[in-house]
Amino acid sequence: MTLEIYLADNSPPTTVCIRRVIPKSIYPKFATNTSAMRRFLLSALALTLTLCANTAFAQLDQLMPVPLSVQPAKGKFRLKDKFEVSIRQKEPTRIDEGAKRFLQRLDGRTALNIPDYATKIAFPVDGLNIIVNRNGKLQLHEDESYKLQVTSSRIMLDAETDIGALRGLETVLQLLSVDEEGFYFPACKIEDAPRFPWRGLLIDVCRHWQPVEVIHRNLDAMAAMKLNVLHWHLSEDQGFRIESKKFPMLHQLGSNGDYFTQEQVKEIIAYADARGIRVVPEFDIPGHATAWFVGHPELASAPGPYTIEKKFGVFDPAMNPANETTYKFLEIFLAEMTALFPDAYFHIGGDENEGKQWDKNPEVAQLKKDKGLKENHDVQAYFNQRLLEFLTEDGKRMVGWDEILQPSIPTNIVIQSWRGKEALKKAAEAGYDVMLSAGLYIDLCQSTAYHYAQDPLPAELQLDKKAQGHVLGGEATMWAELISPETIDSRIWPRTCAIAERFWSAATVQDVDDMYRRLPKVSRDLEELGLMHIRYADVLIRRMARSENTLPLQTLRAVIGPLQGYKRHGQGIAYSTETPLTRLPDIAIPDPTMPREFAAAVDLHIAKADVMQSLVIRNWLELFKNNHHSIEHQAETAPAMRAVLPISQQLQALSVVGIGLLDMLEKGEADAQRKEGYQKTITQARTPVQECEILIVDPIQRLFEKVYGK
Ligand code: ACM
């Protein structure tokens, strides 16, 4: 029997579909994201599935990114300890190693000790069968599609390229489900292909050094989320992070010893290649370049000496665009680097050069006169033109931040928009290929929902068809001012899973609640790839608390978030590359789950006077109220925890207010005497402490208004 599934949008109900079997209107009783709603949904699903005699459906409802089309079918492929994988291909491809990694992960998840696979066994086998037509080229627009069919007897994965097959294997892993009999894959038919060809993650390894293992594990996670470009930000004011054999003083004097050797670079490129991920290097010039000048002050627009920058911000040093030595140097350097990086695209940065050194440099004034350049922007366009010649000679396409878009620059470069979507529109309409990073700055600790809403093709821009064709996709950007190798994963994941879905899945996949429903499982599964995004907090907490007991700080952490945007920089600490990143705002994560669930419970209670919700809210508030005593106790022997006391105390006071408000709601009477004090406590709880904020102040304010009126 075919199951009809309803989509949030108006797509036909017979195919596609995994997200919702129940139209929203039949669960209005529960706000989204509460466990009550989940329980209800699950029982409703169970009922629907029984009615439809289709037990596979619910387990299809966990994929991220959502595939193009998913058709549930009847039956389950049971996973036993004998599980063969058979590969049909004309030549060795990435899928040979990919299938091994797949089996290792399956082993790890199921503890079944599945034996090694063989490629020469019969085809098809009663296991996983992979058909690959050809080796994929690691290039933009390569075919990444795949088709997957799971029946109760076998799994068939069919792809034009091995890269498509790798994407399909990730989907198979996500399908792994459990029932009372054990592990199985739900029967289904999936057809999948990405919406955008450029789906990237920028990792800044300069502001804070990120060693090879950080890159490795994040490449694995990118592959799991079907991302396909690592944008490797390799030079900055704070560090020159790659070995140059032509100009060794670049890395020797510009990096404090933390740089990638060329052997490591080759190995990382191969590691990424094996996972179907392109590596695009960025050398940010002419600004953001102080570290270059430590070893090569002759490249700068003002005399040295220079030292590696330790602070963060926008700095004056910029390459000298008026000196031919600069171009000779860059020609040789770029030839070296373009030979090292096989990708067809090469990023030259170009952002935030304010030209302060240029204004004071008589050679630049002369250049302006000689070439008829009016503004510093024109000088930078001239500089970029020269770079473009070198890169074109080296067979590369130039990529840069939106500042490099100048009327004189040819349209065969790629613009990465970061200052706003208007820049993307302007570039696409002018005929440039573009990608979006505005709104995707994951260093700013904004919510997953916020990033999920950033579409590389925003409807409000009203791009015509031609301009739409120039939008390649987008990149999340992991800038590294406030991250260490310990914390970086927690800033990238799991929010970047939602961004990956925006890049891969159909534009109609928009259901924020459903994204949040799927996110925790996907996030947990990333741990098997060595990601630290969940476990790092316990490590930091044990250090801070000088104790095995992580519960008090974990409890506090559930309800706070690091300040968003650039606000962490304005709270008293003058951050530098040497500031420890082991404090409360580093332990706190962006967009934790609990405050969302708390807000939903409060809103339900306000709307319906729901006793269950009241209990849930009260339990949380009691927990937070009492938690402060544990924090105080730990702080006695853990000096680093003392800075946490004020916010913990604020939370305690807020919780006491919340409990008082619940009492009044239950009694149906508002105690006028407490009104002023309560409002004051709520307002005070909004004051950031330790660069963190309490994330349940708004719902408590709503409870207050329910009791006392607005
Ligand atoms: C940038 O954030 N300056 C590209």
Side-chain angles (χ1 to χ4, degrees):
M1 169 172 185
T2 318
L3 186 59
E4 286 216 345
I5 299 126
Y6 300 93
L7 280 171
D9 50 84
N10 294 324
S11 326
T14 44
T15 55
V16 201
C17 81
I18 56 172
R19 288 176 301 126
R20 181 175 300 128
V21 71
I22 308 157
K24 236 186 179 146
S25 57
I26 70 167
Y27 58 85
K29 230 175 114 201
F30 305 103
T32 50
N33 250 337
T34 65
S35 37
M37 186 200 81
R38 259 189 246 123
R39 275 197 304 278
F40 170 75
L41 262 180
L42 284 176
S43 52
L45 271 172
L47 181 67
T48 314
L49 296 172
T50 315
L51 290 175
C52 296
N54 185 327
T55 50
F57 178 70
Q59 289 70 29
L60 289 170
D61 199 2
Q62 59 193 13
L63 303 178
M64 186 177 274
V66 167
L68 198 55
S69 145
V70 181
Q71 265 184 288
K74 201 173 160 186
K76 298 175 177 183
F77 179 94
R78 288 256 159 236
L79 191 61
K80 307 196 187 76
D81 52 9
K82 181 172 180 296
F83 178 74
E84 287 178 328
V85 179
S86 179
I87 299 174
R88 275 293 165 273
Q89 58 191 8
K90 298 183 194 97
E91 53 186 340
T93 70
R94 293 175 184 87
I95 210 65
D96 297 306
E97 289 300 313
K100 276 187 200 159
R101 293 194 304 271
F102 165 88
L103 281 177
Q104 276 164 5
R105 285 161 69 192
L106 199 57
D107 252 7
R109 281 191 204 184
T110 60
L112 281 179
N113 197 15
I114 298 157
D116 262 4
Y117 75 105
T119 48
K120 294 207 169 59
I121 51 181
F123 188 92
V125 290
D126 292 339
L128 171 62
N129 302 277
I130 306 173
I131 306 170
V132 170
N133 192 36
R134 64 175 171 86
N135 256 302
K137 291 201 176 72
L138 209 51
Q139 63 189 21
L140 195 69
H141 298 297
E142 179 54 290
D143 191 325
E144 295 176 87
S145 69
Y146 65 92
K147 288 185 184 143
L148 181 64
Q149 182 158 27
V150 181
T151 65
S152 48
S153 57
R154 62 179 56 123
I155 303 170
M156 302 296 294
L157 172 60
D158 192 344
E160 167 65 15
T161 69
D162 52 352
I163 297 172
L166 288 175
R167 309 291 179 245
L169 281 182
E170 295 295 342
T171 302
V172 177
L173 273 173
Q174 288 191 3
L175 283 175
L176 183 68
S177 302
V178 179
D179 64 9
E180 61 286 353
E181 285 178 51
F183 291 103
Y184 70 94
F185 296 100
C188 61
K189 209 169 177 181
I190 291 178
E191 292 194 13
D192 204 4
R195 179 175 170 216
F196 293 106
W198 191 306
R199 306 180 307 279
L201 169 65
L202 174 152
I203 299 184
D204 168 8
V205 294
C206 304
R207 270 59 174 256
H208 280 95
W209 167 243
Q210 306 296 330
V212 172
E213 59 269 23
V214 170
I215 307 299
H216 277 172
R217 65 187 191 233
N218 279 286
L219 282 167
D220 278 313
M222 287 173 69
M225 287 297 117
K226 301 181 169 65
L227 290 171
N228 67 357
V229 181
L230 170 66
H231 174 160
W232 204 355
H233 187 79
L234 283 164
S235 73
E236 256 303 337
D237 298 302
Q238 294 83 359
F240 189 97
R241 303 296 188 189
I242 183 169
E243 175 191 22
S244 169
K245 293 186 197 290
K246 297 284 182 198
F247 302 106
M249 285 195 311
L250 283 172
H251 65 274
Q252 284 170 3
L253 298 182
S255 74
N256 288 328
D258 288 329
Y259 62 87
F260 298 98
T261 65
Q262 294 202 1
E263 280 316 301
Q264 287 172 324
V265 169
K266 285 180 198 159
E267 189 278 326
I268 283 172
I269 291 168
Y271 194 93
D273 183 304
R275 286 149 184 80
I277 297 173
R278 298 165 41 216
V279 178
V280 176
E282 178 186 351
F283 294 92
D284 201 352
I285 46 178
H288 283 281
T290 309
W292 297 62
F293 307 147
V294 184
H296 288 278
E298 74 279 11
L299 297 174
S301 302
Y306 290 87
T307 54
I308 297 173
E309 185 56 63
K310 290 181 182 169
K311 298 200 193 74
F312 304 123
V314 177
F315 301 96
D316 294 348
M319 287 196 176
N320 186 347
N323 188 342
E324 280 306 308
T325 312
T326 308
Y327 298 109
K328 197 67 223 157
F329 184 103
L330 286 175
E331 184 176 13
I332 298 166
F333 175 78
L334 290 174
E336 181 186 15
M337 290 301 146
T338 52
L340 186 59
F341 289 91
D343 199 76
Y345 291 78
F346 198 95
H347 205 301
I348 55 102
D351 57 318
E352 297 181 310
N353 169 41
E354 294 180 350
K356 288 190 183 151
Q357 281 194 343
W358 291 358
D359 289 337
K360 293 187 193 140
N361 183 322
E363 287 173 18
V364 177
Q366 189 62 44
L367 177 78
K368 282 181 171 167
K369 220 187 248 172
D370 293 348
K371 305 280 179 196
L373 309 169
K374 285 203 191 77
E375 312 282 342
N376 284 339
H377 286 309
D378 304 318
V379 175
Q380 190 164 340
Y382 168 81
F383 177 81
N384 290 339
Q385 290 272 9
R386 300 287 302 268
L387 297 188
L388 183 61
E389 279 168 35
F390 304 144
L391 289 176
T392 307
E393 245 169 61
D394 297 332
K396 302 291 182 188
R397 274 188 77 183
M398 187 161 111
V399 189
W401 298 104
D402 52 42
E403 287 95 329
I404 76 164
L405 177 57
Q406 297 290 333
S408 57
I409 199 113
T411 52
N412 62 352
I413 64 164
V414 178
I415 302 293
Q416 184 165 11
S417 132
W418 73 280
R419 293 182 298 184
K421 297 202 177 73
E422 279 305 314
L424 179 125
K425 180 179 168 78
K426 194 172 138 197
E429 287 181 346
Y432 294 89
D433 282 352
V434 288
M435 45 157 166
L436 180 72
S437 280
L440 299 173
Y441 271 39
I442 49 178
D443 58 316
L444 302 186
C445 295
Q446 289 157 297
S447 74
T448 318
Y450 170 79
H451 293 307
Y452 196 55
Q454 310 300 322
D455 196 306
L457 277 175
E460 71 270 18
L461 287 188
Q462 299 187 326
L463 294 177
D464 61 28
K465 269 265 162 300
K466 191 150 170 269
Q468 283 185 22
H470 284 298
V471 178
L472 302 177
E475 286 185 358
T477 55
M478 183 68 268
W479 299 110
E481 282 89 344
L482 298 179
I483 52 162
S484 70
E486 278 182 318
T487 63
I488 180 171
D489 299 355
S490 75
R491 272 29 183 180
I492 302 177
W493 311 103
R495 289 176 305 150
T496 297
C497 302
I499 297 173
E501 177 157 286
R502 179 61 50 241
F503 294 161
W504 178 280
S505 303
T508 48
V509 177
Q510 292 282 356
D511 187 332
V512 173
D513 296 333
D514 193 63
M515 176 274 290
Y516 275 126
R517 180 189 62 76
R518 287 174 289 135
L519 200 58
K521 177 200 176 288
V522 171
S523 180
R524 264 194 326 275
D525 285 347
L526 289 178
E527 281 205 293
E528 76 193 10
L529 299 165
L531 281 206
M532 302 279 292
H533 63 307
I534 300 173
R535 72 189 103 155
Y536 91 101
D538 276 333
V539 176
L540 262 62
I541 289 172
R542 279 191 287 273
R543 194 180 314 159
M544 187 193 264
R546 304 179 71 243
S547 165
E548 300 292 310
N549 180 9
T550 57
L551 203 58
L553 273 174
Q554 280 288 12
T555 303
L556 174 65
R557 173 179 184 257
V559 72
I560 62 170
L563 288 180
Q564 296 185 18
Y566 296 101
K567 282 189 245 156
R568 269 186 75 177
H569 292 285
Q571 306 291 316
I573 289 187
Y575 275 102
S576 81
T577 52
E578 292 169 346
T579 313
L581 295 169
T582 51
R583 297 161 54 248
L584 190 63
D586 308 299
I587 294 170
I589 49 164
D591 201 7
T593 305
M594 182 270 151
R596 283 196 309 275
E597 297 195 340
F598 185 87
V602 165
D603 290 341
L604 270 179
H605 185 44
I606 287 174
K608 299 261 158 90
D610 185 319
V611 181
M612 265 293 293
Q613 301 304 325
S614 173
L615 255 174
V616 167
I617 301 164
R618 189 181 290 276
N619 279 345
W620 265 320
L621 295 175
E622 291 285 351
L623 182 69
F624 296 139
K625 187 183 93 181
N626 296 328
N627 190 56
H628 184 57
H629 303 300
S630 311
I631 298 239
E632 273 182 320
H633 180 66
Q634 281 196 329
E636 284 168 16
T637 52
M641 269 187 73
R642 290 180 196 153
V644 171
L645 288 171
I647 195 165
S648 173
Q649 201 162 28
Q650 264 182 8
L651 179 62
Q652 185 187 45
L654 186 70
S655 302
V656 169
V657 166
I659 293 164
L661 291 167
L662 282 180
D663 289 342
M664 289 188 226
L665 268 181
E666 266 154 43
K667 283 199 208 123
E669 38 182 77
D671 179 349
Q673 287 195 338
R674 282 192 262 171
K675 183 176 178 187
E676 201 180 318
Y678 272 19
Q679 182 59 73
K680 206 167 151 199
T681 302
I682 295 171
T683 305
Q684 270 171 354
R686 293 189 187 280
T687 315
V689 181
Q690 275 260 300
E691 299 153 43
C692 288
E693 56 190 341
I694 297 173
L695 299 175
I696 56 165
V697 185
D698 286 340
I700 300 282
Q701 178 71 38
R702 292 201 287 276
L703 272 181
F704 177 88
E705 286 164 11
K706 178 72 180 174
V707 170
Y708 290 110
K710 288 209 182 190

